Amino acid sequence: NTVKYNVAIFVENTAVGDEILCHIIKAKKTYAVGKIAKIIKPSKHRIEPECECFKSCGGCSFGHISYREELRLKEQKVIDAFERIGGLSPEFMPIIPSPSITRYRNKAQYPVKRENGILKIGFYAKKSHRVIDCEDCLLQPAEFTQIIEIIKNWINKFNITVYNEEIGIGLIRHIYLRKAFATGELMVCIVANGKELPHSDTLVETLKRVEGFKALLLNTNCSNTNVVLGEACEAIYGEPYIVDILCGVKVKISPLSFYQVNHDGAELLYGKAAEYAAPSGKEDVLDLYCGAGTIGLSMASKVKSLVGVEIIPEAIEDAKENALLNNINNAQFICGDAALAAEKLKADGIAPQTIILDPPRKGCAASLLKTVAEIAPQRIVYVSCDPATLARDAKLLEGLGYSAVEVTPVDMFPRTAHVETVVLLSQRRPDTHIDIKLDLSGLDVTAAETKATYQEIKDYVLDKFGLKVSTLYISQVKAKCGIIERENYNKGKEGHRVPKCPKEKEDAIMDALRHFKMI
Ligand code: SAH
């Protein structure tokens, strides 16, 4: 029996342009899930995965396609989120690629398990708690592989017990490693179901062979949950932190503080955030969800004052120490929930010109966005690791008087499905304005073009039609009308998709061009 069934089918590990035969493993009313049975014709974007564990490990999603194609997909994911979830079409800048696509991570948490008597330290398989014994994950620094090998030998040599999550018995649960890329310092943290680590002296002596090894920590987690880290952390050797340098700022990293996992990518991300914040030395800046204070501190020398808010006490302690470490004395840090702290700061009458938001994946609480809008900064710089919640929040902010002006995706997590994004939102008030830098080098300024500026066209369209149009859209319509001879304005890198001006906005821009007698 054939049934007509017209839905999208999601098939893992495929590439655009593949011709495949697949088994349907789940069929829902609106979508289906398939599994590749045979690749009839491979896509031109396919590559041979470099990592042996690619198929079994749940970490990477894009090991089978070229990095260029991965970037295109990530860029599209951000555009789709804004257009479909947010109903917004701000200016999309080309994605900023990661400086490295292998061994870029500075943090890893390896589950430890004994399966059929065999010790396994690796990563969880897709959607499971089975551990894949990935000998050398290509996303991690080479030293991590060396450290895991040493710990494995130590566990085997001294018959140290391994945690069994079903019965809650056994000592070693996870191995948590961090590396400071700028200084080379390494932290080894053993997460254990107990307060003592047997034969730790031997372990320390062996770990000293690894270049950069600075600290061995014991994190105690005796609870029967999936949460990796417990609350108590103790240094068995060295200090309970390592020091890195990010955007010229010395950063103390302790195990419980959030720290961006891609050091070189983070410098590009913070660089973009600073460009959007455009500090001139006069601003008061509020950095909400500040972690160890890194984004704000990287701009501190260019602002009047900085207030950071973060919920994890250890991270706030790090942030305060980081300010001291760098002789930054215009910064203050508050430990607490961002929404509650913002409410209190508003009641205290603070009036920052710029607010930075960098929430976890779930995005910002609606109440926080409302408070932020009431504080009424000129600019909001929103950094996000989830395009969907970002687009949802940008839509909420749109309703609260803030327009997303420009969006830049940054690839902080090559080979995985995740993408970071930074957005500039500006306050829509007739009596305020913000300056943004525009690269006009691609424009051919003809006599007709000089008749109205982009801003005048934008204002006209907003006034008459209630529509916001971007510089990109205006330039597209101008190109169509032959006002700009070269049509390469803001096209981004080759192969990158640029959003096309919707018909309604095109008509409105045409009307403006007619009004200004440019056509
Ligand atoms: N801006 C920092 C951290 C971003 S990650 C950086 O770039 O390194 C998000 C941070 O938000 C984490 O440090 C997390 O602990 C913190 N956080 C999560 N929920 C929060 C809340 N309700 N209020 C304040 N901070 C929160």
Side-chain angles (χ1 to χ4, degrees):
N1 284 348
T2 13
V3 183
K4 224 179 187 177
Y5 185 53
N6 193 2
V7 294
I9 306 172
F10 296 96
V11 189
E12 222 170 49
N13 295 346
T14 48
V16 173
D18 271 348
E19 253 176 58
I20 60 156
L21 195 67
C22 80
H23 291 300
I24 302 293
I25 52 176
K26 191 193 256 179
K28 297 276 185 191
K29 259 195 199 141
T30 50
Y31 75 98
V33 178
K35 202 168 180 239
I36 298 183
K38 190 178 166 200
I39 300 177
I40 300 165
K41 197 172 144 240
S43 150
K44 63 174 195 265
H45 303 299
R46 277 190 178 271
I47 58 164
E48 201 47 49
E50 276 184 78
C51 182
E52 282 175 22
C53 306
F54 171 64
K55 281 210 173 115
S56 44
C57 166
C60 292
S61 305
F62 291 134
H64 65 300
I65 58 171
S66 68
Y67 187 49
R68 188 191 165 97
E69 173 68 355
E70 176 182 337
L71 289 174
R72 188 189 68 81
L73 292 171
K74 288 181 171 174
E75 204 171 68
Q76 193 60 51
K77 184 174 176 174
V78 174
I79 295 173
D80 285 351
F82 268 86
E83 290 182 348
R84 293 181 190 162
I85 302 169
L88 302 169
S89 43
E91 198 127 352
F92 294 104
M93 300 312 280
I95 187 166
I96 300 178
S98 172
S100 344
I101 61 168
T102 56
R103 307 210 181 276
Y104 62 84
R105 283 187 62 97
N106 59 21
K107 169 185 161 179
Q109 288 174 333
Y110 299 81
V112 183
K113 261 200 170 176
R114 211 174 265 288
E115 283 173 6
N116 302 324
I118 297 168
L119 173 65
K120 290 189 169 179
I121 305 184
F123 296 102
Y124 289 126
K126 275 175 198 155
K127 295 178 196 137
S128 127
H129 263 210
R130 204 160 40 81
V131 174
I132 301 296
D133 205 0
C134 183
E135 297 272 298
D136 183 25
C137 168
L138 288 182
L139 303 189
Q140 318 298 339
E143 295 96 323
F144 285 13
T145 307
Q146 220 184 327
I147 293 170
I148 293 301
E149 196 54 40
I150 289 172
I151 295 175
K152 244 186 185 176
N153 291 338
W154 168 76
I155 294 178
N156 281 331
K157 183 170 172 194
F158 295 106
N159 273 325
I160 293 166
T161 58
V162 165
Y163 185 68
N164 178 332
E165 60 187 352
E166 271 136 46
I167 50 175
I169 291 175
L171 188 64
I172 311 295
R173 296 176 72 132
H174 271 83
I175 310 300
Y176 169 23
L177 306 179
R178 265 184 160 172
K179 176 179 176 180
F181 269 50
T183 59
E185 295 188 3
L186 288 161
M187 170 194 287
V188 177
C189 178
I190 302 213
V191 186
N193 175 32
K195 293 191 175 126
E196 267 171 50
L197 212 54
H199 305 284
S200 57
D201 293 354
T202 319
L203 180 59
V204 169
E205 283 318 304
T206 333
L207 284 171
K208 281 183 185 167
R209 286 186 210 146
V210 184
E211 206 184 324
F213 169 65
K214 278 275 162 187
L216 175 65
L217 271 57
L218 170 65
N219 177 276
T220 299
N221 181 0
C222 297
S223 60
N224 198 357
T225 64
N226 279 345
V227 179
V228 175
L229 294 174
E231 278 168 20
C233 247
E234 177 205 344
I236 293 178
Y237 168 79
E239 302 290 342
Y241 57 83
I242 48 174
V243 177
D244 203 0
I245 302 169
L246 189 64
C247 295
V249 175
K250 270 194 204 157
V251 188
K252 226 172 178 182
I253 313 162
S254 55
L256 299 176
S257 296
F258 176 89
Y259 187 58
Q260 298 285 350
V261 296
N262 180 342
H263 174 275
D264 299 355
E267 292 199 325
L268 298 177
L269 175 75
Y270 286 9
K272 200 50 162 171
E275 184 189 318
Y276 285 168
S280 67
K282 295 187 203 118
E283 294 81 7
D284 299 306
V285 173
L286 177 58
D287 181 9
L288 294 172
Y289 306 90
C290 71
T294 43
I295 298 189
L297 291 173
S298 71
M299 300 176 199
S301 63
K302 299 185 199 87
V303 305
K304 192 168 108 211
S305 77
L306 168 70
V307 175
V309 176
E310 158 68 43
I311 205 161
I312 305 276
E314 287 81 0
I316 278 294
E317 286 315 308
D318 281 355
K320 287 178 183 166
E321 287 200 37
N322 288 336
L324 285 177
L325 205 62
N326 293 279
N327 299 320
I328 294 172
N329 43 32
N330 57 345
Q332 253 181 290
F333 293 95
I334 301 169
C335 187
D337 169 67
L340 297 178
E343 186 63 46
K344 167 132 195 350
L345 289 166
K346 189 191 94 186
D348 291 347
I350 65 144
Q353 293 76 18
T354 304
I355 295 187
I356 298 164
L357 299 170
D358 185 7
R361 255 176 234 169
K362 66 177 180 190
C364 296
S367 62
L368 168 74
L369 297 176
K370 193 165 160 280
T371 311
V372 163
E374 284 162 4
I375 293 174
Q378 278 179 295
R379 292 167 186 254
I380 299 172
V381 179
Y382 194 141
V383 178
S384 157
C385 54
D386 186 330
T389 55
L390 169 64
R392 176 202 69 196
D393 290 353
K395 185 178 181 181
L396 276 174
L397 283 167
E398 177 76 33
L400 294 165
Y402 283 83
S403 298
V405 177
E406 194 177 290
V407 176
T408 304
V410 184
D411 188 22
M412 298 278 283
F413 317 103
R415 311 280 86 183
T416 79
H418 302 286
V419 59
E420 195 85 11
T421 312
V422 52
V423 182
L424 169 65
L425 297 113
S426 85
Q427 194 183 33
R428 268 198 323 273
R429 276 227 318 246
D431 55 344
T432 59
H433 77 279
I434 60 165
D435 299 319
I436 59 166
K437 263 196 231 142
L438 281 175
D439 178 8
L440 300 180
S441 55
L443 283 178
D444 195 351
V445 182
T446 63
E449 238 205 59
T450 54
K451 285 187 176 152
T453 63
Y454 280 79
Q455 195 54 53
E456 283 166 337
I457 296 171
K458 285 180 189 181
D459 292 346
Y460 175 89
V461 171
L462 186 63
D463 265 5
K464 182 160 177 191
F465 300 96
L467 289 174
K468 279 197 303 105
V469 289
S470 65
T471 310
L472 174 68
Y473 288 165
I474 298 172
S475 76
Q476 282 174 355
V477 178
K478 280 183 169 183
K480 232 180 177 175
C481 299
I483 302 176
I484 308 172
E485 280 149 30
R486 278 187 277 155
E487 56 104 38
N488 64 348
Y489 177 74
N490 215 349
K491 235 184 164 167
K493 290 195 188 121
E494 200 194 322
H496 284 146
R497 180 187 165 299
V498 164
K500 274 199 65 190
C501 183
K503 180 82 175 70
E504 188 191 16
K505 292 190 175 179
E506 182 178 327
D507 291 346
I509 295 168
M510 292 285 258
D511 187 280
L513 297 181
R514 258 179 247 116
H515 170 82
F516 291 113
K517 305 206 170 21
M518 294 166 78
I519 50 170

